[in-house]
Amino acid sequence: MNYQEKVSTRADVKALFEKVKENPAVARYRGYTDSKSYGWDEKAGDYIKCEGEVWFENPSYDADFVTVGEPNAESTELLDEQLLECRERIVALEAECSALRSKAELADHALAAANAALDEAIAKKNAVCAILCNLKEVLEKVLAYRAE
């Protein structure tokens, strides 16, 4: 997170630096006027002045630091937008899931019907095979009787 604040005196720049230094969530800071940026040099005990928009590193920044407390309005709005998007996505996924369940049920019914038809065809084939075996046996007996 970056932080900037309008400054007009050396004391403002130092106060800004001290405030930023107390917050390890702030990575970079900048004191500014209309055309310049200001930071604080702790070793020199004086401000740093640069033309344009320049950001200064916070010496106490900790990337793993998690802020505790009330979120600001901007982050709350962002979270609300993300929550709304997530809810919309959940509704869409639930509808898609319901449609896929319906298709799966239809496929299950079609598979059950196909398996029943297969079982019926196998039973008919077996019955025809049994009849043919009986006819072959009778024919062999007839041919054997005639040969005598």
Side-chain angles (χ1 to χ4, degrees):
M1 165 172 83
N2 292 338
Y3 182 78
Q4 65 181 350
E5 192 173 286
K6 192 161 192 149
V7 294
S8 57
T9 66
R10 175 172 289 160
D12 290 345
V13 176
K14 184 172 183 181
L16 169 62
F17 174 75
E18 294 299 328
K19 182 190 325 183
V20 167
K21 193 173 168 185
E22 290 176 9
N23 187 349
V26 175
R28 299 183 313 155
Y29 72 98
R30 147 180 202 261
Y32 69 93
T33 61
D34 290 338
S35 61
K36 295 181 180 23
S37 294
Y38 296 87
W40 188 260
D41 184 341
E42 206 169 18
K43 290 178 184 171
D46 203 3
Y47 69 89
I48 303 165
K49 175 172 62 171
C50 299
E51 291 292 324
E53 184 176 321
V54 177
W55 292 89
F56 302 91
E57 301 297 320
N58 178 2
S60 66
Y61 173 67
D62 179 2
D64 297 327
F65 181 78
V66 177
T67 57
V68 178
E70 294 296 318
N72 62 32
E74 184 178 311
S75 68
T76 302
E77 288 176 15
L78 180 61
L79 290 174
D80 287 344
E81 288 176 20
Q82 290 174 347
L83 181 61
L84 182 59
E85 289 172 4
C86 287
R87 285 183 178 157
E88 290 171 353
R89 182 73 177 134
I90 287 169
V91 168
L93 288 172
E94 285 175 343
E96 184 179 347
C97 185
S98 178
L100 289 172
R101 280 193 189 113
S102 296
K103 287 180 179 180
E105 285 179 22
L106 290 173
D108 285 344
H109 291 303
L111 179 60
N115 282 333
L118 176 63
D119 291 344
E120 186 179 328
I122 290 172
K124 285 181 181 179
K125 177 197 73 116
N126 290 341
V128 168
C129 283
I131 291 169
L132 287 174
C133 286
N134 287 339
L135 283 173
K136 180 181 176 186
E137 191 178 313
V138 169
L139 184 57
E140 286 173 350
K141 287 180 184 179
V142 169
L143 290 175
Y145 178 74
R146 280 185 154 197
E148 291 177 8

